[in-house]
């Protein structure tokens, strides 16, 4: 039997309610998973254009109900796996129906916004192996760094976005941020750094410790050596539109031209150069950012000692 009600006439006025569904994992919303599906809790964030009435669709001749994607706007959500479902809204005596899209669609954030605690500016100096500190530029990274998903429609936080293990943190190195002489005749020892126009995964500055392993190359795995967390991980969940990284720590690197890089839903979480499935324009951000006055940070040695040779 056909799934199309070919005998339905326009005058019969059979409505279908349209609902937004999102992927689920372990019974909870997880827009990075398709293990199961469920309607989102707040359907008021699926907004219709004037051509629709309370997100109902009236069947026309031939039993077909069509909604143009331009008629719908989704608010305060972002993630990889969403779809629409259509449910009978007329209490048929012969039963009800529920149908859903067989394919899913992705919702991109407008951007990622990074908050370094309540600091007014991004870190510019941290210490390798430094103790996480809420006093910026004094020791290690801030104890809590938040990455917020920006809702394109409201420009606020996409507070209904949620996914598990979908945000990763990396330490990257500016490709062209190398100390060069200033050229000033009266300050011959004044050195500046060139702009940071491109970045690559940071590599170990030493061959000792874990960096003595095969991971010390620009390939999958090198990221495990240069950034860690003293209490959590370099992967975080997004909860209410925010991913929080706790007590990040730089390892086995020293010098100028570094950034923290955050990627939402990377196509490969272990790649040397991860890219967001949302595109890096919407799903990747660094701190300091390219637009900051100081657009990279210095990682200073843990300590310096003077050794006198005979």
């Amino acid at each position: 039997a056909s799934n199309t009600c070919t005998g339905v006439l326009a005058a019969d006025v059979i409505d279908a309610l349209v609902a937004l569904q999102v992927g689920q994992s372990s019974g909870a919303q997880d827009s990075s998973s398709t293990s199961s599906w469920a309607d989102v809790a707040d359907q008021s964030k699926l907004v219709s254009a004037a051509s629709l009435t309370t997100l109902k669709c009236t069947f026309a001749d031939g039993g077909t109900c069509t909604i143009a994607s331009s008629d719908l706007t989704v608010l305060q959500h972002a993630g990889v796996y969403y779809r629409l479902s259509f449910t009978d809204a007329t209490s048929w005596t012969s039963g009800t129906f529920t149908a859903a899209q067989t394919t899913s669609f992705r919702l991109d954030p407008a951007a990622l916004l990074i908050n370094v605690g309540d600091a007014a500016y991004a870190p510019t100096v941290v210490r390798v192996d430094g103790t996480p500190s809420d006093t910026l530029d004094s020791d290690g990274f801030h104890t809590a760094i938040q990455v917020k998903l920006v809702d394109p429609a409201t420009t606020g936080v996409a507070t209904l976005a949620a996914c598990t293990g979908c945000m990763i943190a990396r330490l990257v190195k500016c490709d062209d941020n190398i100390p060069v002489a200033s050229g000033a005749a009266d300050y011959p020892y004044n050195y500046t750094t060139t702009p940071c126009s491109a970045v690559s995964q940071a590599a170990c500055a030493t061959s000792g410790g874990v960096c003595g392993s095969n991971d010390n190359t620009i390939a999958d795995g090198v990221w495990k050596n240069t950034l860690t967390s003293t209490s959590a991980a370099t992967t975080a969940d997004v909860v209410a539109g925010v991913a929080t990284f706790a007590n990040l720590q730089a390892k086995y690197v020293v010098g100028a031209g570094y950034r923290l890089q955050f990627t939402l839903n990377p196509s490969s979480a272990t790649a040397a150069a991860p890219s967001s499935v949302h595109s890096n324009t919407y799903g990747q951000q660094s701190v300091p950012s390219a637009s900051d006055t100081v657009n990279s940070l210095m990682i200073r040695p843990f300590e310096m000692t003077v050794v006198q040779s005979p």
Side-chain angles (χ1 to χ4, degrees):
S2 172
N3 291 325
T4 302
C5 301
T6 56
V8 174
L9 301 177
D12 289 332
V13 190
I14 300 173
D15 288 338
L17 289 175
V18 185
L20 180 68
Q21 292 190 329
V22 65
Q24 305 282 305
S25 178
S26 300
Q29 177 180 324
D30 183 356
S31 63
S32 296
S33 172
T34 55
S35 59
S36 63
W37 292 88
D39 290 353
V40 300
D42 185 0
Q43 289 295 329
S44 69
K45 304 308 178 186
L46 179 62
V47 181
S48 67
S51 58
L52 297 176
T53 304
T54 64
L55 289 176
K56 287 185 180 181
C57 182
T58 301
F59 285 90
D61 290 340
T64 301
C65 184
T66 302
I67 298 177
S69 59
S70 58
D71 283 332
L72 301 176
T73 299
V74 180
L75 303 177
Q76 298 179 12
H77 280 273
V80 182
Y81 297 112
Y82 288 88
R83 71 183 187 183
L84 298 177
S85 68
F86 304 86
T87 305
D88 165 41
T90 59
S91 301
W92 291 353
T93 57
S94 59
T96 60
F97 72 89
T98 299
Q101 290 179 298
T102 56
T103 58
S104 61
F105 56 86
R106 187 183 72 234
L107 294 174
D108 296 333
L112 301 183
L113 176 66
I114 300 176
N115 279 31
V116 183
D118 57 359
Y121 60 94
T124 56
V125 180
V126 297
R127 185 167 68 161
V128 65
D129 295 328
T131 300
S133 171
D134 288 339
T135 302
L136 216 56
D137 298 340
S138 65
D139 201 340
F141 288 111
H142 204 279
T143 58
I145 298 177
Q146 292 186 323
V147 185
K148 300 180 178 180
L149 281 57
V150 178
D151 178 32
T154 67
T155 68
V157 177
T159 54
L160 299 180
C163 49
T164 303
C166 54
M167 188 80 73
I168 65 171
R170 293 289 187 83
L171 187 68
V172 295
K173 179 76 165 64
C174 300
D175 295 340
D176 56 356
N177 197 302
I178 301 171
V180 294
S182 67
D186 50 346
Y187 295 102
Y189 301 107
N190 178 25
Y191 280 76
T192 60
T193 56
T194 56
C196 182
S197 59
V199 298
S200 300
Q201 169 64 51
C204 290
T206 174
S207 59
V210 297
C211 292
S213 70
N214 293 330
D215 281 344
N216 191 28
T217 59
I218 300 298
D220 286 2
V222 68
W223 53 272
K224 293 185 289 187
N225 299 335
T226 57
L227 185 68
T228 188
S229 169
T230 62
S231 64
T234 56
T235 299
D237 300 341
V238 170
V239 179
V242 180
T244 301
F245 291 87
N247 301 318
L248 293 178
Q249 186 180 65
K251 305 283 290 185
Y252 298 102
V253 289
V254 68
Y258 289 91
R259 289 177 182 168
L260 282 177
Q261 183 186 81
F262 301 93
T263 304
L264 173 66
N265 288 312
S267 53
S268 171
T270 60
S275 296
S276 171
V277 300
H278 303 276
S279 85
N280 291 344
T281 300
Y282 306 118
Q284 192 174 82
Q285 184 59 275
S286 299
V287 60
S289 73
S291 60
D292 288 338
T293 302
V294 180
N295 65 6
S296 66
L297 57 87
M298 169 76 73
I299 299 179
R300 63 185 178 92
F302 186 82
E303 63 180 10
M304 297 182 66
T305 58
V306 176
V307 178
Q308 183 176 353
S309 300

